[in-house]
Amino acid sequence: QKEVEQDPGPLSVPEGAIVSLNCTYSNSAFQYFMWYRQYSRKGPELLMYTYSSGNKEDGRFTAQVDKSSKYISLFIRDSQPSDSATYLCAMSANNYGQNFVFGPGTRLSVLP
Amino acid sequence: ETGVTQSPTHLIKTRGQQVTLRCSSQSGHNTVSWYQQALGQGPQFIFQYYREEENGRGNFPPRFSGLQFPNYSSELNVNALELDDSALYLCASSLGAQDQETQYFGPGTRLLVL
């Protein structure tokens, strides 16, 4: 079993839909959780950064962490074609970048 | 766009050759991390440099080596290239070694090994 699992997609949704992206993990020591967006031919861009369990909201984006289920989610409300990208989750037991483990990413297409 | 730049953008090499990739960090950032991203995979941590010293290394062989300069720019060197080294190489800079919330990635260098 991989340490971090993520459905690779592709996931296609119509413009305006609510998108749910998910990751599961096996290491119960993970406490730091991040979501990155990566456009084609670009580097990843940090979207959300959360510590421990709970929800965090930033504009149209909401990140949820359920440590008891080892499951994290990113919700995108009112999705736009500009949200079409690959979304990567990353997590770690501490805040050292060397210890962050990335999921393989989910490719999202938002159709106009 | 972040302030992290990488050069070159693309590179083609043959097996056994050596390659040097370069990264300029965001202004004010003293930490640079390098990642390898194979097609369809998430980035894998190679190593990190903090104030010119290596500060952690992932599961990569010694033929992957690096440097950080006094201006905090950095190089990644790969010797004896193998076909599996074909990937997107990303560098990311941050304000500190434990400051991942401020980590910004560059656009990457796409390396193809034939």
Side-chain angles (χ1 to χ4, degrees):
Chain A
Q1 182 189 10
K2 289 188 177 179
E3 207 166 8
V4 177
E5 305 223 36
Q6 192 175 3
D7 187 334
L11 176 63
S12 293
V13 300
E15 184 175 354
I18 296 174
V19 176
S20 172
L21 303 166
N22 311 296
C23 286
T24 58
Y25 61 94
S26 57
N27 188 342
S28 58
F30 287 155
Q31 296 192 83
Y32 295 85
F33 304 91
M34 304 197 293
W35 284 96
Y36 284 88
R37 177 175 62 196
Q38 187 172 22
Y39 290 115
S40 180
R41 304 184 184 283
K42 300 283 189 182
E45 169 195 9
L46 181 63
L47 283 176
M48 302 290 280
Y49 178 94
T50 54
Y51 170 73
S52 195
S53 283
N55 295 357
K56 184 174 183 179
E57 188 173 321
D58 184 1
R60 295 185 295 113
F61 299 91
T62 300
Q64 283 186 353
V65 175
D66 182 349
K67 289 181 68 181
S68 61
S69 302
K70 299 192 184 69
Y71 188 89
I72 70 170
S73 300
L74 177 71
F75 297 95
I76 307 174
R77 290 182 298 281
D78 187 25
S79 56
Q80 303 294 311
S82 59
D83 294 327
S84 298
T86 296
Y87 289 80
L88 300 156
C89 64
M91 48 197 79
S92 174
N94 54 42
N95 205 18
Y96 286 93
Q98 60 193 276
N99 295 323
F100 273 90
V101 179
F102 282 82
T106 297
R107 192 152 52 96
L108 171 67
S109 290
V110 181
L111 307 174
Chain B
E1 294 288 331
T2 71
V4 181
T5 60
Q6 292 186 244
S7 63
T9 55
H10 295 83
L11 205 51
I12 300 175
K13 291 285 189 178
T14 55
R15 265 189 315 177
Q17 284 189 310
Q18 178 265 343
V19 69
T20 297
L21 310 181
R22 295 178 174 84
C23 171
S24 289
S25 58
Q26 176 113 345
S27 177
H29 285 189
N30 59 22
T31 302
V32 172
S33 302
W34 285 92
Y35 295 83
Q36 180 194 67
Q37 187 176 22
L39 198 61
Q41 300 297 317
Q44 275 198 293
F45 177 79
I46 303 175
F47 43 57
Q48 182 184 79
Y49 279 85
Y50 171 66
R51 294 188 173 182
E52 303 179 60
E53 298 286 329
E54 188 178 289
N55 184 46
R57 187 178 183 93
N59 190 25
F60 281 81
R63 59 189 185 83
F64 286 78
S65 63
L67 279 175
Q68 187 177 32
F69 300 99
N71 67 355
Y72 302 130
S73 66
S74 179
E75 283 183 358
L76 164 66
N77 299 290
V78 187
N79 294 322
L81 284 167
E82 301 177 359
L83 298 180
D84 283 350
D85 296 334
S86 296
L88 179 68
Y89 287 85
L90 296 160
C91 90
S93 73
S94 58
L95 280 173
Q98 294 187 64
D99 210 344
Q100 300 316 306
E101 196 168 3
T102 67
Q103 181 169 254
Y104 296 116
F105 281 86
T109 293
R110 193 164 295 279
L111 172 65
L112 177 61
V113 182
L114 301 176

